[in-house]
Amino acid sequence: MCGIVGYIGSRNAYPILIKGLKRLEYRGYDSAGIALQNGSVNVYKKQGKVTELEEHMMGMDLSGTMGIGHTRWATHGEPSDLNAHPHVSNNGDFTIIHNGIIENYTVLRTSLIEQGYKFKSETDTEVLANLIEYIYRSQKVSAEDAVHLALSKVVGAYGLVILCNQENDKIIAARKSSPLVIGLGENEYFLASDATPIIEYTDRVIYLDNDDVAVIKRDELILKSTKRNDALKPRIQTLDLGISEIEKNGYDHFMLKEIFEQPRSIRDTFRGRLNLEKNEIKLGGLYNVHDKLIHAKRIIILACGTSWHAGLVGEYLFEDLARVQVEVDYASEFRYRNPLISEEDIVIAISQSGETADTLAAIQLAKEKGATVLGICNVVGSSISRETHAGVYTHAGPEIGVASTKAFTAQVTVLTMMAMIIARSRGLVGNERFAGLLNELEDIPEKIDKILQQNDKLKEIASIYKNVNNALYLGRGVSYPVALEGALKLKEISYIHAEGYPAAEMKHGPIALIDENMPVVVIATKDSSYEKIVSNVQEVKARNGIVIAVVTEGDDTIEKMADHVIEIPATDPVLVSLLSSVPLQLIAYHIAVMRECNVDQPRNLAKSVTVE
Ligand code: M6R
C-alpha cells in the first residue's frame, strides 16, 4: 500500500526520492508525489505511475537537499492528482505525507472548517496537515510541539513525514501502527516506510516504535514519544539486506525471480535451525515459550490471503504430527467475532509483510484476552514481529512481487519445523521418524530445483489455457490449501476466475461447472487419499472435463486419465505442499504474462495491506 521516502542531507534530494519511489512501487499504488524544500517547498504530484510523475517533473525546479516522496493507494477519495500526497496546509506552513488512516478525520475536518479552513482534497491527510498548522498558528508553538499536540487529537494509524516551511532545517517523522524506518548516513538521514529505498545508501537504521516522533536535522536526530516528554535513546540496527535482493537480476519479473529463488529461500529458512547430525531442530525465537507451546491445548492460527493458506497447511501438520487441536481463522473474521480465547491458547499470526492491518488487530485482541501470541513473519522489525510475544522469522528475503510465492513455502517450512518440535517434545514422534522427516526437509530445495527444470513444459500448458475464463483447483488433506493457493495465484495475477475446493466437495456443487472448456487442476500426489483423488479425476473426465494433474514421479495411473501430468519428486506426504505449490505458481505466472497482465503489480492489489 502507500509508500514513504524522505531525505535530508547535502546531496540533491530529487534523485534519491524518485529512485526510492520506484523501489516502493511493489507495494501497490495509484498516484505519486514529491515535495522539495529549497527555501520554500515545491510540491509535484500525479495520478498514475512514478514514471508519469518523473515526466511531469522534467524541466521543473528539482533543486533542494531535503524532501519527501509518497506513493498513494487510495482509501479516502479516488485516485487523482488532488488526492495524491504530499498535502499542504492552507497557509503553506506544513507539507505532509502519510500512510495509514485517521479515523476521526470527519470530526476534525468539520471543526477546522468552522475555523475557516478550506480543503482541496477528500483525504484524511489534508485534515492532519491543517490541524497541525492550526495548532502551530493558534498556540504559537514550535513545529515539533504542534505535531505532538495534533497527534494527541488523532485516532487512527499513521506513518507521517512532515516539512515545516518556517522551520526548514528539519524533517519531523511520527509513527503509530504504520512502519517508518530512518537510515543513518554521514550528516544525512533517509526515511522510508520499509528499508528498500534506503539499502543502497546505508545499512544503519532505526525503526520507529509506536508513538515515536523523530525530529531530524542534517547533523542531529532527536527521538521522543507522544506519551512522554523526555528524549529516547534510538536503537540503531544493522540491515541484513543486500541490493541484489531487491532487484530483478535478469529475470523478467520479480515474481519469476522469487519462484526460482525458492530452493535458496527455503535453505535460508532452515539454515542454522536444522541439525542432521544431532537429529534436532532449534528455533531460537521460541525458547521463551517452549513449555507453553508443547503443553498448548489449542493453537489458533490467524492470517490473511496466502499466509492463511500456509496456516491451513499448518493445521494439518500440527494435528497430524503433534496432535494439537488447531483452528485457522481469517484475521479479519476473528477480530469481529467475539472469539473464545483463553490464557492457555497459543495464537500464531502469520504474515509475510508483518504489517497487515487485520492481522495486527487480531493479535491485539488475542493479547487482550490473555493468549500467548507468536508471529511468523518475513520482514525483520515489522509491526507484527514487535507486537507478538515471540516468533520465528522466515528469512525468505524481500518478496517484491505482489503475488506471494517464496513467502508461502518459507511459512510452511517454519510451521513444519514447529510441528516437528512439538511432536517430538510430546513424545509423539520417535528419533527414527524425526530423522526421516529432517532428511526429507533438507532435500526439499533440491527437489524444487527439479520441478523448476520443468518450466518450459509448464509454460506450454499455460499457453493452451491462457484464454479460459474459469478454472477449478482440487486437493485433499494437506493438498486442499495448495489448491486454494493455486487458485488465488491464478486469479490475482491473470484475472481469470479460479476456485480452490476440497476434491470431495466437488460433487456437492462445483461439478455442475465442469465442461470441455474449464481446466480442473488436481493435486493428486501419493498419500493416504490417493485412491479417492483418482476417483475424483475419473469423475471430471466422465463429464468431458480437462484435467491437469500434479502427481508423484512415476505415477502411471493418473497419466492414463489426465490431459496433462506434472510430475513432482516423491517426499513425505507431510511435506508435499512445499513441492506441489511450485508448478501452480509457474502456471499462473506464465498465463498472466501471456495475457499481458502486470504480473508484479496486479490491478487494485497492494503488497502489504495496511488498512482494513
Ligand atoms: O503480508 P501478509 O502475509 O500478511 O499478506 C497477506 C495477504 O495480503 C497476502 O498473502 C495476499 O493475499 C497476496 N497478494 C497473495 O499473493
Side-chain angles (χ1 to χ4, degrees):
M1 288 194 157
C2 305
I4 281 177
V5 60
Y7 176 75
I8 177 167
S10 53
R11 310 187 209 195
N12 242 342
Y14 174 71
I16 296 169
L17 299 177
I18 200 84
K19 195 168 190 186
L21 291 183
K22 287 181 183 168
R23 293 255 188 250
L24 292 169
E25 283 189 296
Y26 79 97
R27 294 167 71 101
Y29 70 105
D30 46 59
S31 49
I34 281 180
L36 293 165
Q37 164 67 264
N38 190 13
S40 61
V41 178
N42 294 320
V43 175
Y44 310 91
K45 43 195 201 171
K46 260 308 226 196
Q47 183 190 343
K49 293 286 170 199
V50 174
T51 46
E52 289 168 56
L53 174 71
E54 202 174 12
E55 276 163 28
H56 169 70
M57 291 180 75
M58 263 175 205
M60 308 255 191
D61 177 9
L62 302 181
S63 53
T65 52
M66 165 176 165
I68 56 181
H70 191 263
T71 47
R72 172 177 187 256
W73 190 89
T75 55
H76 296 67
E78 58 174 13
S80 70
D81 291 356
L82 272 184
N83 286 333
H85 299 205
H87 287 282
V88 184
S89 58
N90 274 195
N91 297 293
D93 294 355
F94 291 91
T95 304
I96 79 173
I97 52 177
H98 163 224
N99 287 0
I101 287 180
I102 307 302
E103 286 166 19
N104 59 337
Y105 86 107
T106 322
V107 182
L108 296 171
R109 194 175 202 260
T110 310
S111 63
L112 285 164
I113 289 172
E114 281 163 12
Q115 299 302 325
Y117 273 86
K118 294 199 165 46
F119 291 89
K120 293 185 193 133
S121 77
E122 300 152 80
T123 64
D124 50 344
T125 306
E126 193 186 6
V127 174
L128 194 49
N130 282 320
L131 177 65
I132 299 170
E133 182 184 277
Y134 172 68
I135 293 171
Y136 184 67
R137 290 195 165 214
S138 59
Q139 300 194 24
K140 301 200 173 6
V141 289
S142 67
E144 183 190 343
D145 287 346
V147 170
H148 275 270
L149 289 166
L151 293 181
S152 70
K153 298 185 188 313
V154 156
V155 178
Y158 49 79
L160 202 58
V161 183
I162 305 163
L163 300 176
C164 175
N165 211 16
Q166 287 85 336
E167 299 179 32
N168 60 15
D169 59 340
K170 65 182 70 136
I171 290 181
I172 301 174
R175 173 206 158 123
K176 183 167 200 156
S177 305
S178 187
L180 271 184
V181 52
I182 302 174
L184 282 61
E186 281 296 314
N187 291 327
E188 60 180 355
Y189 292 92
F190 306 83
L191 283 119
S193 42
D194 68 54
T196 49
I198 290 181
I199 183 66
E200 60 199 281
Y201 307 107
T202 178
D203 62 356
R204 297 173 66 231
V205 294
I206 298 164
Y207 288 97
L208 293 194
D209 276 321
N210 274 343
D211 304 310
D212 280 359
V213 179
V215 177
I216 308 160
K217 297 184 177 173
R218 286 177 175 79
D219 55 356
E220 177 184 58
L221 184 152
I222 295 172
L223 193 62
K224 285 189 182 165
S225 163
T226 51
K227 304 275 178 221
R228 293 171 21 203
N229 204 24
D230 46 334
L232 306 166
K233 192 171 182 311
R235 199 161 64 89
I236 300 172
Q237 300 184 38
T238 306
L239 277 179
D240 183 18
L241 185 67
I243 193 79
S244 67
E245 292 180 67
I246 56 167
E247 297 197 325
K248 284 191 205 144
N249 289 345
Y251 285 92
D252 287 344
H253 298 97
F254 281 110
M255 182 179 176
L256 187 63
K257 176 187 173 222
E258 286 154 10
I259 293 172
F260 272 81
E261 270 177 350
Q262 288 175 108
R264 195 269 311 145
S265 56
I266 291 178
R267 269 193 202 100
D268 284 350
T269 304
F270 57 59
R271 188 182 311 280
R273 291 165 166 172
L274 298 195
N275 189 328
L276 266 67
E277 266 172 37
K278 291 189 178 163
N279 196 21
E280 67 181 17
I281 297 177
K282 284 191 167 167
L283 292 173
L286 299 181
Y287 285 168
N288 293 342
V289 292
H290 181 79
D291 286 351
K292 275 191 173 165
L293 196 56
I294 60 168
H295 294 117
K297 294 215 168 51
R298 186 170 68 144
I299 293 177
I300 302 169
I301 300 181
L302 302 175
C304 304
T306 289
S307 298
W308 182 76
H309 297 155
L312 289 176
V313 175
E315 178 180 17
Y316 283 91
L317 300 173
F318 285 123
E319 289 189 353
D320 187 30
L321 292 174
R323 308 303 298 147
V324 195
Q325 185 200 336
V326 180
E327 282 175 28
V328 187
D329 214 341
Y330 286 115
S332 54
E333 287 296 317
F334 176 85
R335 61 183 288 202
Y336 289 116
R337 223 192 42 222
N338 195 12
L340 296 170
I341 316 170
S342 80
E343 287 176 13
E344 280 153 33
D345 288 325
I346 297 275
V347 168
I348 303 177
I350 308 176
S351 174
Q352 186 286 130
S353 62
E355 303 297 344
T356 302
D358 284 320
T359 312
L360 266 165
I363 289 171
Q364 212 49 54
L365 178 65
K367 278 167 69 180
E368 278 161 22
K369 300 219 176 215
T372 301
V373 185
L374 315 181
I376 298 179
C377 291
N378 194 36
V379 178
V380 176
S382 56
S383 302
I384 291 178
S385 65
R386 290 144 170 267
E387 291 296 323
T388 41
H389 296 117
V392 184
Y393 282 119
T394 46
H395 293 313
E399 190 179 67
I400 309 285
V402 164
S404 196
T405 52
K406 64 175 181 173
F408 172 77
T409 46
Q411 289 163 346
V412 171
T413 304
V414 168
L415 289 161
T416 309
M417 292 192 287
M418 285 175 76
M420 286 173 67
I421 290 175
I422 305 175
R424 181 185 241 183
S425 305
R426 290 181 158 207
L428 296 166
V429 163
N431 283 346
E432 206 177 315
R433 169 93 171 108
F434 194 86
L437 275 172
L438 214 53
N439 278 296
E440 285 291 348
L441 191 54
E442 239 241 344
D443 287 347
I444 289 289
E446 212 174 295
K447 292 180 179 175
I448 293 182
D449 260 329
K450 260 183 117 177
I451 298 170
L452 295 172
Q453 284 163 22
Q454 298 182 61
N455 188 29
D456 287 345
K457 177 180 175 179
L458 295 164
K459 194 170 173 182
E460 213 178 294
I461 296 175
S463 73
I464 302 172
Y465 298 106
K466 64 176 194 290
N467 292 323
V468 299
N469 295 321
N470 296 292
L472 190 60
Y473 285 68
L474 303 176
R476 281 172 175 263
V478 77
S479 298
Y480 161 53
V482 175
L484 291 176
E485 176 58 9
L488 177 64
K489 286 295 83 91
L490 185 68
K491 83 181 115 190
E492 69 180 335
I493 59 169
S494 74
Y495 319 139
I496 293 174
H497 173 249
E499 283 203 57
Y501 246 83
E505 276 292 303
M506 178 180 67
K507 57 186 171 296
H508 298 289
I511 200 162
L513 295 169
I514 290 170
D515 62 13
E516 61 287 357
N517 300 315
M518 184 181 71
V520 182
V521 180
V522 187
I523 299 111
T525 49
K526 289 261 167 71
D527 60 21
S528 56
S529 51
Y530 177 72
E531 298 305 330
K532 305 274 177 210
I533 203 104
V534 170
S535 305
N536 297 134
V537 171
Q538 278 164 336
E539 284 157 16
V540 177
K541 286 313 297 174
R543 283 152 188 89
N544 291 328
I546 305 161
V547 172
I548 303 170
V550 177
V551 301
T552 308
E553 243 167 27
D555 183 322
D556 46 15
T557 308
I558 293 186
E559 201 189 3
K560 293 188 191 109
M561 302 176 216
D563 298 81
H564 308 275
V565 157
I566 302 156
E567 289 195 328
I568 61 169
T571 185
D572 192 294
V574 161
L575 304 176
V576 74
S577 63
L578 290 168
L579 303 181
S580 52
S581 52
V582 177
L584 306 189
Q585 297 167 347
L586 279 169
I587 289 179
Y589 169 77
H590 289 302
I591 289 182
V593 172
M594 288 170 197
R595 289 167 70 97
E596 297 181 5
C597 297
N598 188 343
V599 173
D600 284 334
Q601 291 160 38
R603 67 182 178 210
N604 305 334
L605 284 176
K607 185 63 187 163
S608 58
V609 184
T610 50
V611 295
E612 268 194 65

